[in-house]
Amino acid sequence: MEINVDSVSFAYNSTPVLNNISFTVQKGEFIGIVGPNGAGKTTILKLIQKLLKPKSGKIQIRERSLKGMKLEDIAKTIGYIPQTELTQFPTSVFNTILMGRKPHFSWGPTENDLEIVSSIILNLGLKDLSLRNINEMSGGQRQKVIIGRVFAQDPDILLLDEPTANLDLHHQLEILDLLKDLSKRGKTVVMAIHDLNLALKYCDKFIMVHDHQIYACGGREIFTQAIIKKVFQVKVSIFHDDNGGIFLIPIQNSKAKKNVHHELVNAAPKGSTNKQGEMDAVN
């Protein structure tokens, strides 16, 4: 078992964020943490990275108590990509990615470290930008560099908070393909993501967070119309492809529809007929 979160609760001051959550992650799994904004997805990742301390409960990494692990041990085992990163000091793409090798050398990078960085830059399509100042790059390019830095760290567990944010569709798929390949080679990937269809395409298992708790946990079978409506307040149509995959198409925002319907009824002239309202009554 790579990660064991057992009865963990957390609050920011007096504001509860997570209440008694438990789940396990096995080696090589690609986990998608999904849920509405403010559900606690980022908090879960920060707790596993030991950036936050749980109010109660315990977290184990490979059957070791996270509480007793030193920061250098965590850096060799876990790689973390935050949703947003503070402005970098002026440095090149190459040197930024090379920073990911720091847990593996004491005095300076070896030839092997430099080769690893060069390979990552090539795989991420950053070769022509390798000497560019990272602060002069677009948000999407910077995101790829940060991801490259974690790849260079070569951890066994990767925690990613919205890794495809600011990336166009081509580069979203490129990054997720790389993460999927890593999981197939035995790396454990835990990713918070808003795009449910991308999560369904790439992840093996899902943790759905709602109302400070884990509302559902499992495979694609947890993506039912009832669960999605409850958690995301959206009605969806669910389609299945020939390869066993599924994808979702939103139909309507249930709360927004009720509000719009209420406003239309109030604004309608007296004696008029609201056809949509009649349909709503039937549905």
Side-chain angles (χ1 to χ4, degrees):
M1 186 184 304
E2 293 289 275
I3 303 171
N4 180 27
V5 175
D6 184 12
S7 305
V8 166
S9 296
F10 179 81
Y12 286 105
N13 296 321
S14 59
T15 304
V17 179
L18 297 170
N19 181 27
N20 196 36
I21 67 167
S22 298
F23 63 87
T24 60
V25 180
Q26 305 297 328
K27 179 179 174 62
E29 285 187 323
F30 194 157
I31 306 295
I33 303 178
V34 299
N37 289 339
K41 301 184 297 295
T42 296
T43 301
I44 290 174
L45 297 179
K46 288 183 175 181
L47 286 166
I48 298 173
Q49 178 66 11
K50 206 180 178 181
L51 296 175
L52 297 174
K53 294 182 180 179
K55 180 180 178 181
S56 61
K58 62 181 181 180
I59 300 173
Q60 292 178 310
I61 304 297
R62 292 180 166 179
E63 301 184 2
R64 293 179 60 189
S65 171
L66 179 64
K67 185 177 180 180
M69 291 180 67
K70 297 180 179 180
L71 292 179
E72 52 264 36
D73 293 331
I74 295 174
K76 290 179 180 179
T77 307
I78 303 175
Y80 173 63
I81 298 178
Q83 190 171 358
T84 56
E85 183 146 328
L86 298 176
T87 302
Q88 299 280 330
F89 60 85
T91 185
S92 68
V93 169
F94 189 95
N95 285 335
T96 300
I97 295 177
L98 182 60
M99 291 177 191
R101 297 299 302 162
K102 187 65 174 67
H104 301 279
F105 59 79
S106 299
W107 301 103
T110 65
E111 192 66 31
N112 181 57
D113 293 318
L114 300 177
E115 289 177 0
I116 289 173
V117 172
S118 296
S119 177
I120 291 170
I121 286 175
L122 187 63
N123 289 335
L124 290 177
L126 296 170
K127 183 178 180 180
D128 293 338
L129 302 173
S130 61
L131 300 180
R132 177 82 64 86
N133 183 336
I134 189 173
N135 291 327
E136 297 173 356
M137 304 176 73
S138 69
Q141 290 172 329
R142 283 167 57 92
Q143 182 75 348
K144 289 180 71 175
V145 175
I146 301 305
I147 290 171
R149 186 182 66 196
V150 172
F151 286 178
Q153 188 178 333
D154 194 29
D156 291 320
I157 300 171
L158 288 90
L159 308 177
L160 306 104
D161 194 356
E162 296 291 339
T164 56
N166 300 317
L167 298 180
D168 59 40
L169 183 58
H170 172 80
H171 291 103
Q172 287 179 11
L173 298 179
E174 179 185 35
I175 294 301
L176 291 173
D177 282 339
L178 288 170
L179 292 173
K180 187 66 175 180
D181 182 63
L182 287 173
S183 73
K184 288 180 178 178
R185 288 191 279 143
K187 301 290 186 182
T188 302
V189 181
V190 182
M191 171 179 69
I193 185 169
H194 279 295
D195 192 317
L196 298 183
N197 283 318
L198 283 178
L200 285 164
K201 177 177 174 62
Y202 286 95
C203 298
D204 309 311
K205 180 180 172 184
F206 307 89
I207 298 168
M208 191 175 290
V209 189
H210 174 61
D211 196 23
H212 314 306
Q213 298 178 323
I214 294 179
Y215 189 83
C217 186
R220 291 172 176 81
E221 72 278 357
I222 72 172
F223 286 86
T224 66
Q225 290 177 320
I227 289 177
I228 294 171
K229 183 179 179 181
K230 174 66 176 179
V231 173
F232 295 95
Q233 301 297 313
V234 173
K235 291 184 178 180
V236 297
S237 290
I238 301 176
F239 295 88
H240 299 260
D241 62 28
D242 295 335
N243 298 318
I246 68 173
F247 61 96
L248 314 174
I249 296 181
I251 299 174
Q252 64 188 27
N253 181 321
S254 56
K255 283 187 175 180
K257 182 177 180 181
K258 289 178 181 177
N259 292 336
V260 170
H261 176 246
H262 178 73
E263 291 174 5
L264 288 174
V265 169
N266 289 339
K270 292 182 178 180
S272 64
T273 302
N274 188 327
K275 298 290 186 181
Q276 185 64 47
E278 292 174 1
M279 290 183 65
D280 289 344
V282 173
N283 293 335

